[in-house]
Structure formats: C-alpha cells, structure tokens
Amino acid sequence: MSQAVYLDYAATTPVDPAVVDVMVRHLGPEGTFANPASRSHLYGWLAEEAVENARRQVADVLNADPREIVWTSGATEANNLALKGVLEARGGGHLVTSAIEHKAVLDACKWLEQQGHKVTYLMPDADGRISLGAVQAALRDETVLVSVMHANNETGVINDIEAIGSLCRERGVLFHTDAAQSVGKLSLDVRAMPVDLVSVCAHKVYGPKGIGALYVRRAPEVKVAAQIHGGGHERGMRSGTLPTHQIVGMGEAFTLAVARREEEGQRIATLRDRLWQGISELEGVSINGGNSPRLPGHLNVAFADVDGEMLLTAMNQVAVSSGSACTSASLEPSYVLKAMGIPDALAHGSIRFSVGRFTSEADIERAAACVVDAVSRLRQKG
Ligand SMILES: *Cc1c(COP(=O)(O)O)cnc(C)c1O
C-alpha cells in the first residue's frame, strides 16, 4: 500500500529542501552555530550577521523595517505577545476580535477576560468573512485594540484587513492581524496598509516549526510589554537565545515563498480547483466559504449525510483535517463553521483539504477518486 496523499498543508508544510540546506549550515561545529548574542568572538558575530540577514528577509516580505521584527517561537507566541503586550502596555481597555480566530488568539482573549479586560467577539457572515460594519459597530471609546485574522486557517477565507485597518486608524485604535496562513501567499505591505501588529510563522510556508515573528510598528510607535523576561533580547520585547538555524530557515522560506508567489499560487489554485471538480461529481457537496475570496490552497467541503470522522477513516489514502487541526482531537463541530451558521450535522461532515508546493496532479486524481469512493460507500451504508 502506497503512502496517503498529503493534503494538510494548512496544518503544516514539509520544510523545503533549499531551506533544510541553509539550516544545516547553521548547526554543526563547521557551521554558523554560535550564540548571536556573543559579542566577544567571530563565531558570535557571524551568527548575529546570519540572524540580521534573516530579519531583513522577513521584513522585506512585509515591506517593514528590520527593527520592526521581533522573533518568537511561532504565531501562537506572536499572537499572545501582541494581545497581552498591548493591553498591558495600555494599562487595560476594550479589545475587539472575531469568533473565527485561531485558538492562539481566542485563548489569549479568554485569559485577558479573566484578568478583567473586556473583549467583543465578532461573528462572520455566512461566507466566513468579518464585515467592516461589524467592526465599526463594536468599537467603543475605550477600545484599544482590534485583532482580525488575514486569512482563516479552516476555510482559507480572506478578510479585508486594509479596510478594517483603515477604520481602526481613523478611530485611533491599534490593529493586529494574524497572518500565519497568508504570509508568503498574499501580499501584505505594512507601508501601504494601516496595520500595527502582524503575527507570522515559518511552518505554513515550507520553513521549520517553532519559529515565528511579530511585526511591531515603529512609526507611530506601538508599545508592547514583554511577556517573556530574561536577558532583554529583541529590544526587551522577547528574551531568550535566538535559534540561529530556525531563524535562517524562516528567512530563506519567506524569500522563496515571495519569489514563487505568483506562479505557485496559480499552480496550487489550479490543482485545488481540479480536486473540487472531482469531488463535485457527488451530490450534496458544497464549499464552506465558497463565495468569498480564499487562499489558493484551501478547500473546505461540506458533505451532506456523511459523518466527517467516518469519512476520514474511510478515505485513508488522503491525509486531511476534519474541522481545524487544533480541535480534531475533540468531537465538537468546528467553531469556525458553527459561527458561519453552518448546521452542526454539516459541520461534522466537513473536511479541510489543503494543497501545497509538493502536491502533484497524480496526487489530486488519486485523492479525488478516493473521496468519491469513500463518500459513495458511506452513503450506501447509511
Ligand atoms: C498555525 C496558525 C497559528 C499558530 O502558529 P504556530 O506557529 O503553530 O504557533 C496561528 N494562527 C493561524 C491562523 C494559524 O494558521
């Protein structure tokens, strides 16, 4: 039996071989392995140079100044630093976010509520988008921060963060966006767009897991209180010895992603659409968020009259997620699909397919055939 087709790129991607090469050169005794904070020898200077080069690579993708990039362990930490850091620096206030954010935002908000802060959770429309009107209606005099994700991890639906950011700027409210899914796939230019804080990570764009960054605007300056103390690295915002190999891997992955963005986005969207073509031979299938602009690789399908967990088991030749990867351990229907007003039964019967750089046409044909076969069999039984 051959291996299952990997269609779970939204959960994580393999590291691109070119990125692996760069990382390996920053690990061993012959490599640039030193502590970038070591100021007393050439080993340290070379490591620092490598880190600063990668900082520029990441900054370039956002059109940011390298001094606006704070390394973190990933997007989860970047989101925590943005939300808790701003609320702490401001001495509290009201926060607006959406009900379809990643748990890294929602759980940080829950914690902030426990600390006595007020949070408003916006509902998406039926197509999974957060409307400008919803943000507008939620703003209060005491609102200090709005956090709305760029693209949703389950549906791939893209929010109009330019419009939301502009509204926030007009009202003197800081705007944070979680761009973990979109970075390297959609353009996000912080000079052109009024966003103040952006969370990104490497492992959704063919970089390593365990590294990410928070973009923190310098002008007008955004104050963020550190959440991890010890040593004062990253201009005091995030202490800890910098993982040189992870950081150079992220820099290389980001540069690669942008160099290939147009061509790869089109290729992946074509494959994704082929997959949908194959699946849509079935009756009773629809795309969750299908009427909204979406990331090129995402395809979240609702299968009527099928249980998602049984479907996952039946189509064992395809590696995908039911609901979001982070909640697939529980049998609650996806909170994102629920918030979009999708009935529980349909949400339970929904599967996220996500196509990526190493997906082939043969993979797509095989996956489509496997899905059609599995759904047909389950429906016959049911
Ligand atoms: C993956 C993801 C995260 C978490 O990022 P980590 O680097 O794994 O901590 C946060 N937000 C979104 C939208 C994601 O897709």
Short mmCIF file of all heavy atoms in Angstrom, two decimals, residues 74-76 79 102 104 149 151 153 178 180-181 201 203-204, ligand 1:
data_model
loop_
_atom_site.label_atom_id
_atom_site.label_comp_id
_atom_site.label_asym_id
_atom_site.label_seq_id
_atom_site.Cartn_x
_atom_site.Cartn_y
_atom_site.Cartn_z
N GLY A 74 6.78 31.21 17.30
CA GLY A 74 5.76 30.86 16.31
C GLY A 74 4.66 31.89 16.35
O GLY A 74 4.77 32.92 17.04
N ALA A 75 3.58 31.61 15.62
CA ALA A 75 2.47 32.56 15.58
C ALA A 75 1.67 32.54 16.88
O ALA A 75 1.09 33.55 17.27
CB ALA A 75 1.57 32.28 14.39
N THR A 76 1.64 31.42 17.56
CA THR A 76 0.93 31.35 18.85
C THR A 76 1.54 32.36 19.81
O THR A 76 0.84 33.18 20.43
CB THR A 76 1.03 29.94 19.46
OG1 THR A 76 0.37 29.03 18.58
CG2 THR A 76 0.38 29.87 20.83
N ASN A 79 0.92 36.01 18.66
CA ASN A 79 -0.43 36.47 19.00
C ASN A 79 -0.55 36.81 20.47
O ASN A 79 -1.14 37.83 20.85
CB ASN A 79 -1.46 35.39 18.64
CG ASN A 79 -1.68 35.26 17.14
OD1 ASN A 79 -1.42 36.20 16.38
ND2 ASN A 79 -2.15 34.11 16.70
N HIS A 102 -7.90 31.91 15.27
CA HIS A 102 -7.19 30.73 15.75
C HIS A 102 -7.25 30.71 17.28
O HIS A 102 -7.34 31.76 17.91
CB HIS A 102 -5.74 30.83 15.27
CG HIS A 102 -4.92 29.59 15.47
ND1 HIS A 102 -4.25 29.32 16.64
CD2 HIS A 102 -4.65 28.55 14.64
CE1 HIS A 102 -3.61 28.17 16.52
NE2 HIS A 102 -3.83 27.68 15.31
N ALA A 104 -5.03 30.47 19.31
CA ALA A 104 -3.94 31.26 19.90
C ALA A 104 -4.41 32.68 20.21
O ALA A 104 -3.90 33.32 21.13
CB ALA A 104 -2.74 31.29 18.97
N MET A 149 -8.00 38.23 11.86
CA MET A 149 -7.03 37.46 11.08
C MET A 149 -7.07 37.82 9.59
O MET A 149 -8.12 38.20 9.07
CB MET A 149 -7.23 35.96 11.27
CG MET A 149 -8.51 35.42 10.69
SD MET A 149 -9.07 33.86 11.45
CE MET A 149 -7.62 32.88 11.62
N ALA A 151 -6.22 35.62 6.88
CA ALA A 151 -6.94 34.52 6.22
C ALA A 151 -7.20 33.43 7.26
O ALA A 151 -6.34 33.14 8.09
CB ALA A 151 -6.12 33.95 5.07
N ASN A 153 -7.66 29.83 8.92
CA ASN A 153 -6.95 28.57 8.74
C ASN A 153 -7.85 27.42 8.30
O ASN A 153 -7.39 26.49 7.65
CB ASN A 153 -6.19 28.20 10.02
CG ASN A 153 -6.98 28.43 11.27
OD1 ASN A 153 -7.36 29.55 11.59
ND2 ASN A 153 -7.28 27.36 11.99
N ASP A 178 -3.49 38.34 12.45
CA ASP A 178 -2.79 37.06 12.46
C ASP A 178 -2.67 36.63 11.00
O ASP A 178 -3.65 36.27 10.36
CB ASP A 178 -3.64 36.06 13.28
CG ASP A 178 -3.06 34.65 13.28
OD1 ASP A 178 -2.09 34.39 12.53
OD2 ASP A 178 -3.59 33.81 14.03
N ALA A 180 -0.62 34.16 9.87
CA ALA A 180 0.11 32.88 9.82
C ALA A 180 -0.22 32.10 8.55
O ALA A 180 0.65 31.45 7.97
CB ALA A 180 -0.21 32.05 11.05
N GLN A 181 -1.48 32.14 8.10
CA GLN A 181 -1.86 31.36 6.91
C GLN A 181 -1.53 32.10 5.62
O GLN A 181 -1.30 31.47 4.59
CB GLN A 181 -3.37 31.06 6.93
CG GLN A 181 -3.79 29.98 7.91
CD GLN A 181 -3.34 28.58 7.51
OE1 GLN A 181 -3.12 28.27 6.34
NE2 GLN A 181 -3.19 27.71 8.50
N CYS A 201 4.47 32.97 11.04
CA CYS A 201 5.33 31.86 11.43
C CYS A 201 5.89 31.22 10.17
O CYS A 201 5.45 31.51 9.06
CB CYS A 201 4.61 30.85 12.31
SG CYS A 201 3.27 29.97 11.52
N HIS A 203 6.28 27.71 9.56
CA HIS A 203 5.96 26.33 9.17
C HIS A 203 4.72 26.15 8.30
O HIS A 203 4.37 25.02 7.95
CB HIS A 203 5.90 25.42 10.41
CG HIS A 203 4.66 25.53 11.24
ND1 HIS A 203 3.60 24.67 11.10
CD2 HIS A 203 4.33 26.37 12.24
CE1 HIS A 203 2.67 24.97 11.99
NE2 HIS A 203 3.08 26.01 12.69
N LYS A 204 4.06 27.23 7.93
CA LYS A 204 2.97 27.12 6.96
C LYS A 204 3.46 27.48 5.56
O LYS A 204 2.71 27.41 4.59
CB LYS A 204 1.79 28.04 7.36
CG LYS A 204 1.36 27.94 8.82
CD LYS A 204 0.37 26.82 9.05
CE LYS A 204 0.07 26.55 10.53
NZ LYS A 204 -0.71 27.59 11.21
C1 LIG B 1 -0.85 27.76 12.51
C2 LIG B 1 -1.54 29.00 12.95
C3 LIG B 1 -1.21 29.61 14.16
C4 LIG B 1 -0.23 29.01 15.13
O1 LIG B 1 1.07 29.14 14.68
P1 LIG B 1 2.25 28.32 15.38
O2 LIG B 1 3.47 28.84 14.72
O3 LIG B 1 1.98 26.88 15.07
O4 LIG B 1 2.22 28.62 16.82
C5 LIG B 1 -1.86 30.78 14.49
N1 LIG B 1 -2.77 31.33 13.68
C6 LIG B 1 -3.11 30.76 12.50
C7 LIG B 1 -4.14 31.43 11.65
C8 LIG B 1 -2.52 29.59 12.11
O5 LIG B 1 -2.87 29.03 10.95
#
